[in-house]
Amino acid sequence: MQLPRSARVHLAGHRGLVGSALVRHFRSEGFEDLMLYGSDRVDLRERDAVRRLYADRRPRVVVLAAARVGGIAANSARPVDFLSDNLRIQVNVLDAAREFGVERLLFLGSSCIYPKLAPQPIPESALLTGALEPTNDAYAIAKIAGLLHVQAMRRQYGLPYISAMPTNLYGPNDNLDATTSHVLPAMLQRTHAAHTRGDATLTHWGSGTPRREFLHVDDLARACLFLLENYDGDAPVNVGCGEDIELRELAELIAETVGYRGAVAWDTTRPDGTPRKLLDTSVINALGWKPETALRDGVRRTYDWLRTRL
């Protein structure tokens, strides 16, 4: 079901890590009528603002990448913000999409929706089978609600809306804030700072033993368009690379990339989060999609971008 390149597409959250990658990819694929509205113009948490936007512009396709996101520290400190903001964004956009005739919609969730002790790799069927990781349960509940909202739209109105669950993402335009960033950009920025100062020791959060899967955001952008054109099902689809890495190994890779030669220590008073989080990507792989960016290459490219921002 190839999307017409003339279709008006709302890429919600276009300034963020995921949204900016979507803009790059959709433009490279020939889409010219992209709706790009930052929160300074349209606050998606405001229901009337979203309805006015969709009533006026009438998008045919929506990718809902707008969200309040953050790492362990931010999720632990401000769970109400993560729950409230994301619920409002999702409900407002999904309801307006139905009301004003959006033909195809992709909702982007997160791998944190799965139970803390889910089987590894995590299949889509693991959803709602166990307790969540408490450090980001509020965010996870909001994303689960969005996924169920999409499924309800399909059941009640027969709309071909779908959901995708990306793994941990990284790449250009990532959040570099010291207190709210995710693990890879936080480690990259911390290592760069230690290297620049000539520190003898660098300290990362946690024990370094958790394992994480990392997908370059440009690969996710390709997956989003691929799913819109090749998938129409009720179940969410995992999007990942199929391989994970221990955070200690990631720290070594980042140190090598940056050129840092000092010692690496770990602050075990800080939380580790989920011990392992590797997605089962057999569904999207069977449809014909695979990632293109190796982790070493992706980290190098991300570091090249980061240095232009520091």
Side-chain angles (χ1 to χ4, degrees):
M1 55 181 81
Q2 185 174 27
L3 298 180
R5 271 35 186 178
S6 60
R8 177 167 293 162
V9 182
H10 181 203
L11 299 178
H14 76 282
R15 290 176 176 167
L17 171 66
V18 174
S20 59
L22 288 167
V23 172
R24 291 192 297 273
H25 185 58
F26 272 69
R27 282 178 172 163
S28 73
E29 287 293 315
F31 290 89
E32 298 180 354
D33 195 354
L34 300 180
M35 288 173 52
L36 307 176
Y37 292 87
S39 58
D40 54 333
R41 296 179 63 191
V42 179
D43 187 342
L44 298 181
R45 296 171 299 179
E46 299 296 331
R47 189 170 184 83
D48 289 344
V50 178
R51 290 190 72 256
R52 286 194 298 270
L53 175 66
Y54 276 42
D56 178 51
R57 299 302 311 281
R58 302 278 175 162
R60 293 178 61 186
V61 180
V62 173
V63 182
L64 182 44
R68 177 183 285 275
V69 298
I72 287 178
N75 275 273
S76 299
R78 302 200 309 277
V80 172
D81 297 346
F82 282 86
L83 182 67
S84 178
D85 286 354
N86 286 308
L87 284 174
R88 285 186 287 164
I89 290 168
Q90 294 160 191
V91 169
N92 292 343
V93 172
L94 283 162
D95 284 354
R98 177 191 62 81
E99 182 178 358
F100 296 104
V102 169
E103 299 167 20
R104 283 287 273 168
L105 181 145
L106 171 62
F107 169 74
L108 285 173
S110 166
S111 58
C112 74
I113 66 168
Y114 293 116
K116 177 176 182 177
L117 301 179
Q120 302 291 326
I122 308 172
E124 288 88 349
S125 60
L127 181 66
L128 297 177
T129 61
L132 298 168
E133 160 58 42
T135 56
N136 61 10
D137 54 2
Y139 175 74
I141 287 293
K143 286 298 184 179
I144 291 170
L147 187 158
L148 294 178
H149 196 162
V150 168
Q151 292 176 331
M153 288 284 198
R154 295 180 64 91
R155 289 198 303 272
Q156 185 169 341
Y157 298 107
L159 294 170
Y161 295 176
I162 59 175
S163 298
M165 302 297 116
T167 190
N168 297 287
L169 302 169
Y170 71 100
N173 292 323
D174 211 335
N175 175 17
L176 299 178
D177 184 273
T179 60
T180 60
S181 60
H182 287 102
V183 60
L184 192 151
M187 291 173 71
L188 195 56
Q189 182 165 247
R190 197 177 299 127
T191 305
H192 172 81
H195 176 60
T196 302
R197 293 190 301 260
D199 293 350
T201 302
L202 161 66
T203 303
H204 292 304
W205 276 33
S207 66
T209 59
R211 300 186 66 87
R212 292 290 183 268
E213 176 185 22
F214 294 98
L215 182 72
H216 195 278
V217 71
D218 287 342
D219 282 329
L220 174 64
R222 285 188 283 270
C224 288
L225 181 55
F226 177 87
L227 287 170
L228 283 167
E229 297 190 324
N230 292 277
Y231 179 74
D232 184 20
D234 188 63
V237 178
N238 288 340
V239 184
C241 64
E243 298 179 355
D244 60 4
I245 184 174
E246 191 176 73
L247 293 186
R248 287 182 181 272
E249 298 177 69
L250 177 63
E252 293 172 3
L253 172 59
I254 288 175
E256 180 183 338
T257 301
V258 172
Y260 177 72
R261 302 186 186 282
V264 176
W266 296 87
D267 180 359
T268 56
T269 66
R270 300 290 192 170
D272 270 340
T274 303
R276 191 182 187 197
K277 194 164 62 174
L278 174 65
L279 296 184
D280 180 343
T281 57
S282 56
V283 171
I284 194 170
N285 295 158
L287 291 171
W289 178 89
K290 291 186 181 300
E292 300 176 3
T293 309
L295 181 59
R296 182 175 295 275
D297 293 338
V299 169
R300 165 57 65 184
R301 285 159 47 187
T302 304
Y303 183 50
D304 289 342
W305 167 81
L306 181 148
R307 285 188 296 177
T308 69
R309 297 299 189 273
L310 298 176

